[in-house]
């Protein structure tokens, strides 16, 4: 019964959307009539739904932005009316069920319907077709998937490093700015890896794009530049899926570009944008790192005699440890590493170069080494809106074992990496790296050499995993030390600011 | 714009004077297309729209009349230089420096290859390299060359190429001629790259991606005249020189003068601090096992892409010319017989032969594994095997031509028997003449 209603609801929403577009033109004439009719039904059905309540209330505050909410409310009211009338046509049982379960159909929250992003629907041929069309329009080549995908992850892309996207591009690249092609190559080869590095490199490339940009005739910089950036972003996405930090940086730039007044001269506008980018990097990455290090050191999170465990190579955690060492704290570090990336070796190099005494283990030894550890410092790729920490694969295991040993786990993360996605497992949205990276040659033999020919063998090279907030004791950001569950608060505060 | 293409077509073909004393090297026919058409085609396929062609006036004139070159859709910006042969490839680059606005891709007109060009350019882009070049494993030439007694070739000076264990980074390059006392490798290189592979069986394809800063550097250093002979070894050595890597340059007065010369080479891009920051924050390193950062902190990097499959041939000797005539037509799927050729039905033609435009092939002829040029006339009862016949040649009845190269406008008299010969431009071979292993190119008679 419930499923039938849900499907009906979905069908209706699509049709309603189409009808809505036509009706917008007739809005002003029939507006009042529909308002009256809708408000009665509104009160009946909207009461039990608390989350939708604030938007559907007729606005009483005299702020100018509320007119948007008014229109939204009217639109939703109209949809309710249409749906109600349709349901009366189809039968009373349907209507009764609808009124008794107002929360169930997603059409209740229709104005905030979220479409699933393309990159986690790879096994859906319609979505792939749409993507191919979009890329064709933007003149970006489509990168084809490689190798057999493990069935649990068949909804994600899996690319091979040996088939770079540049194979299908013309050599003096005309469609895509050369700085972006270089960046895409560096992403797909792994030369620029790590959340902060990728964002900084992205903003650097955007600076070059903006410098070389000239507004065409009869176009406005604020609109045309954003359109110019869209194919570049698709290209970078094809080279390697965008990280949360990159996504936030792109949102910021797009906002800055669209906020440029139309009477601004091109040079002035470009200078303004370049300065915006510089200040974003300065504030959100460099100064945030300094603030986090200061916070961690002064609040005695790193004290003398500590044994600190770090995993992989996080630029922020390395920075904190180096700063703490400079301030003459006596501690030692245990670096935990994992295949196939072996990023821990790079972290080890940086720490030892500073003079910090380090131990190096592989992740399989983590439960043996944990009794010695007093604190665990982890870096993050992104912090999700429900408090989960998305980081390099293996982090959740470390946090789990640390929790079992009652060792405090501290996550260090700048606020620009906070993202309003919600995820509770590592399957739904992840990144699949090149499976050939797992192949290793020892003493002249390569056991996995012909893995593609084995029909029952699949290689899986995951990049990220999510750690639940129960395992994380503290998150150190530049706004201070917050518990994991306060991430949505920070996000809301940020959104209000903007 | 990302890259500008520069085609060097002014070379004289000094190692195959038998062929080039009359026809400039760039216009030698290979598979009935002029030699310089092949690199131009490679550039066009990959997506270039403009090429700067550096050549002599003679070649420029020949280019304007050649049909195949007119077919090329790219815009050819022809720069002609003096023919006296004093100008090296680097001198030519210096000459066109005002036209160079971005990084360049330098090609030689005698390169015939089907390499995926993005492999070389990707190395150049991804690692922000100063130079990226193409090399290929050398293949033995199997065909007998006219004028050579037996298979013994004069031992050509070998090139010693040192690459790191990934096979991409170029660490060492020297020619045997420069290594009289033996091969010496600097300790600094060994410290940074403890594993080096030294290869000798490689052919340099003369395809280089160079940064714009290198061209500016050439304008300041007028002593460098050849790209391959001087500039490339210099750049490879400079990767590990102290002045490039050390931070303190003020103390050393000797190094200061050198520093001035190297200044343009190390010009950093704008927003260098941002690039530095990105590299610092990135958890990638090109090597493991020592304490240095990625690329050992070196700003000058040279990369090489070594092709092991596919065709990559430089046509600078007669042997290479013959080999390439055999292989080049297989790169393209064009009909082996030109539609305008008039071939009689009783002619036996092998499938790997190529007949050019407006040819007349008479009855009872047998053509196997050969290339026949445009406007050629082959009369009855002629046997042509394993040979290259260029344009405008007349072969009278009853001739037997085997393993030979007949240059343009030659006339082979009736009943002649040529084995492994080279007949020069406009030469006449007398009827019933029997030649074996001879090169006849002395022109004393006017045509």
């Amino acid at each position: 019964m419930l499923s039938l209603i849900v499907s009906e609801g979905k069908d209706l929403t699509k049709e309603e959307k189409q009808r809505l577009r036509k009706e917008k033109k007739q809005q002003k004439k029939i507006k009042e009539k529909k308002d009256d009719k809708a408000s009665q039904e509104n009160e009946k059905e909207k009461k039990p739904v608390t989350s939708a309540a604030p938007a559907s209330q007729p606005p009483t505050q005299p702020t100018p932005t509320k007119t948007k909410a008014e229109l939204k409310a009217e639109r939703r009211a109209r949809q309710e009316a249409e749906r109600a009338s349709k349901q009366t046509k189809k039968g009373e049982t349907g209507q009764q069920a609808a009124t008794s379960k107002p929360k169930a159909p997603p059409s209740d929250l229709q104005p905030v319907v979220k479409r699933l992003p393309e990159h986690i629907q790879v096994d859906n041929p319609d979505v792939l077709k749409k993507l191919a069309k979009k890329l064709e329009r933007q003149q970006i080549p489509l990168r084809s998937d490689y190798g057999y995908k493990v069935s649990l992850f068949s909804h994600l892309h899996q690319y091979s490093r040996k088939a770079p996207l540049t194979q299908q591009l013309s050599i003096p690249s005309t469609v895509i700015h050369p700085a972006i092609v270089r960046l895409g190559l560096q992403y797909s080869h792994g030369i620029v890896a790590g959340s902060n590095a990728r964002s900084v490199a992205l903003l650097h490339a955007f600076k070059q794009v903006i410098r070389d940009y000239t507004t065409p005739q009869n176009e406005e910089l604020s609109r045309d530049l954003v359109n110019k950036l869209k194919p570049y972003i698709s290209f970078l996405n094809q080279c390697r899926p965008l990280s949360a930090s990159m996504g936030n940086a792109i949102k910021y730039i797009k906002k800055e570009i669209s906020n440029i007044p139309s009477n601004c001269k091109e040079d002035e506008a470009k200078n303004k944008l370049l300065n915006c980018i510089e200040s974003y990097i300065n504030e959100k990455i460099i100064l945030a790192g300094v603030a986090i290090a200061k916070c961690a050191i002064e609040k005695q999170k790193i004290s003398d005699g500590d044994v600190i465990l770090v995993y992989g190579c996080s630029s922020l955690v390395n920075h904190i440890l180096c700063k703490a060492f400079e301030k003459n704290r006596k501690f030692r570090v245990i670096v935990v590493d994992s295949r196939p990336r072996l990023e821990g070796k790079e972290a080890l190099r940086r720490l030892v170069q500073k003079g910090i005494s380090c131990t190096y283990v592989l992740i399989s030894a983590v439960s043996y080494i944990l009794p010695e550890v007093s604190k665990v410092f982890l870096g993050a790729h992104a912090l999700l809106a429900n408090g989960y920490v998305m980081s390099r694969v293996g982090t959740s295991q470390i946090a789990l074992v640390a929790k079992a040993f009652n060792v405090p786990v501290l996550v260090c993360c700048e606020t620009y990496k906070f993202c309003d996605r919600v995820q509770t497992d590592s399957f739904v949205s992840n990144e699949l790296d090149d499976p050939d990276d797992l192949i290793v040659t020892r003493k002249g033999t390569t056991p996995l050499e012909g893995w593609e020919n084995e029909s029952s063998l699949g290689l899986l090279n995951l990049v990220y995993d999510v750690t639940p907030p129960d395992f994380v004791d503290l998150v150190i950001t530049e706004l201070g030390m917050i518990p994991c569950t306060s991430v949505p608060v920070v996000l809301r505060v940020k959104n209000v600011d903007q | 714009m990302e890259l500008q293409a520069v085609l060097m077509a002014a070379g004289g073909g000094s190692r195959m004077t038998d062929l080039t004393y009359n026809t400039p090297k760039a216009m030698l026919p290979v598979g009935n297309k002029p030699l310089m058409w092949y690199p131009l085609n490679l550039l066009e396929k990959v997506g270039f729209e403009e090429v700067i062609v550096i050549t002599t006036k003679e070649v420029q004139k020949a280019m304007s009349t050649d049909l195949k070159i007119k077919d090329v859709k790219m815009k050819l910006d022809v720069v002609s230089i003096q023919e006296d042969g004093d100008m090296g490839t680097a001198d030519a680059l210096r000459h066109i420096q005002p036209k160079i606005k971005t990084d360049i891709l330098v090609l030689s007109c005698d390169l015939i290859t089907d390499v995926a060009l993005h492999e070389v350019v990707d190395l150049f882009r991804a690692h922000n390299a100063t130079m990226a070049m193409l090399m290929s494993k050398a293949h033995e030439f199997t065909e007998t060359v006219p004028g050579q007694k037996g298979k013994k070739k004069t031992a050509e000076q070998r090139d010693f190429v040192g690459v790191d264990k990934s096979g991409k980074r170029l660490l060492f390059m020297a020619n045997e001629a420069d290594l009289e006392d033996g091969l010496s490798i600097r300790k600094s290189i060994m410290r940074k790259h403890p594993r080096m592979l030294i290869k000798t069986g490689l052919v340099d394809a003369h395809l280089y991606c160079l940064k714009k800063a290198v061209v500016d550097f050439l304008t300041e250093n007028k002593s460098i005249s050849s790209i391959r002979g001087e500039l490339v070894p210099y750049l490879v050595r400079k990767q590990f020189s102290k002045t490039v890597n050390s931070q303190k340059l003020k103390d050393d007065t000797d190094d200061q003068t050198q520093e001035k010369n190297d200044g343009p080479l190390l010009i950093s891009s704008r927003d260098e601090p941002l690039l530095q920051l990105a590299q610092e924050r990135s958890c990638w390193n090109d090597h493991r096992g020592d304490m240095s950062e990625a690329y050992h902190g070196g700003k000058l990097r040279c990369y090489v892409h070594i092709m092991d499959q596919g065709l990559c041939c430089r046509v600078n000797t007669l042997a290479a010319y013959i080999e390439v005539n055999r292989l080049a037509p297989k790169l393209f799927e064009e009909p082996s017989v030109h539609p305008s050729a008039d071939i009689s039905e009783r002619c036996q033609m092998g499938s790997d032969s190529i007949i050019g435009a407006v040819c007349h092939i008479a009855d009872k002829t047998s053509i196997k594994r050969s290339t026949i040029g445009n406007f050629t006339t082959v009369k009855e009862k002629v046997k042509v095997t394993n040979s290259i016949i260029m344009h405008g040649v007349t072969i009278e009845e009853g001739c037997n031509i085997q393993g030979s190269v007949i240059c343009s406008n030659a006339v082979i008299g009736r009943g002649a028997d040529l084995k492994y010969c080279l007949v020069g431009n406009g030469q006449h071979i007398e009827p019933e003449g029997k030649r074996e292993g001879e090169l006849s190119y002395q022109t004393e008679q006017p045509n």
Side-chain angles (χ1 to χ4, degrees), chain A residues 255-371:
Chain A
K255 199 184 64 118
E256 286 297 318
I257 296 178
S258 7
N259 282 347
I260 291 205
S262 45
N263 56 4
C264 200
K265 264 187 263 176
E266 187 174 318
D267 288 332
E268 256 184 67
K270 288 210 271 193
N271 271 333
K272 190 157 171 271
L273 286 174
L274 294 174
N275 287 337
C276 278
I277 294 181
E278 276 286 328
S279 64
Y280 184 83
I281 295 178
N282 210 17
E283 274 172 44
K284 306 275 181 179
I285 302 179
I286 302 179
L287 288 179
V290 170
I292 293 176
K294 203 165 166 214
C295 195
I297 298 169
E298 281 177 9
K299 302 269 169 71
Q300 299 303 322
K301 294 303 170 204
I302 300 182
S303 25
D304 287 349
D306 255 347
V307 180
I308 297 179
L309 186 127
V310 298
Y311 177 63
C313 185
S314 165
S315 54
L316 185 55
V317 172
N318 292 342
H319 180 245
I320 295 176
L321 294 175
C322 294
K323 274 272 155 11
F325 190 73
E326 275 170 32
K327 296 244 167 89
N328 294 322
R329 294 275 191 276
K330 308 267 176 295
F331 60 94
R332 67 185 179 92
V333 176
I334 299 181
V335 179
V336 178
D337 202 7
S338 70
R339 275 197 69 227
R341 286 181 173 234
L342 290 174
E343 286 169 340
K345 289 192 175 177
E346 183 59 21
L348 185 67
R349 178 188 77 78
R350 290 182 196 192
L351 295 174
V352 173
Q353 203 177 30
K354 269 283 177 174
I356 304 175
S357 54
C358 299
T359 312
Y360 177 88
V361 292
L362 288 181
I363 193 170
S364 37
V366 105
S367 53
Y368 293 99
I369 204 101
L370 256 170

Side-chain angles (χ1 to χ4, degrees), chain B residues 204-221:
Chain B
D204 184 344
H206 271 226
L207 192 152
Y208 308 105
C209 277
L210 296 168
K211 269 221 163 101
K212 177 169 185 306
V214 177
V215 182
D216 298 333
F217 166 75
L218 279 179
T219 47
E220 297 207 4
N221 285 282

Side-chain angles (χ1 to χ4, degrees), chain A residues 88-145:
Chain A
T88 48
K89 279 185 212 163
K90 284 191 180 171
E92 282 199 351
T93 43
Q95 189 179 29
Q96 275 178 5
T99 47
S100 60
K101 289 183 186 159
K103 273 189 195 165
S107 56
D108 254 21
L109 303 164
Q110 196 180 8
V112 291
V113 100
K114 286 195 173 152
R115 254 176 276 119
L116 282 174
E118 167 279 323
H119 68 272
I120 58 172
Q121 284 189 288
V122 175
D123 52 354
N124 186 345
D126 297 327
V127 171
L128 282 181
K129 251 190 257 167
K130 253 177 134 186
L131 172 70
K133 254 194 240 162
K134 174 178 129 188
L135 289 178
E136 212 181 321
R137 216 185 334 122
Q138 294 175 332
Q139 293 177 292
I140 310 269
L142 176 68
R143 199 169 181 191
S144 42
D145 282 3

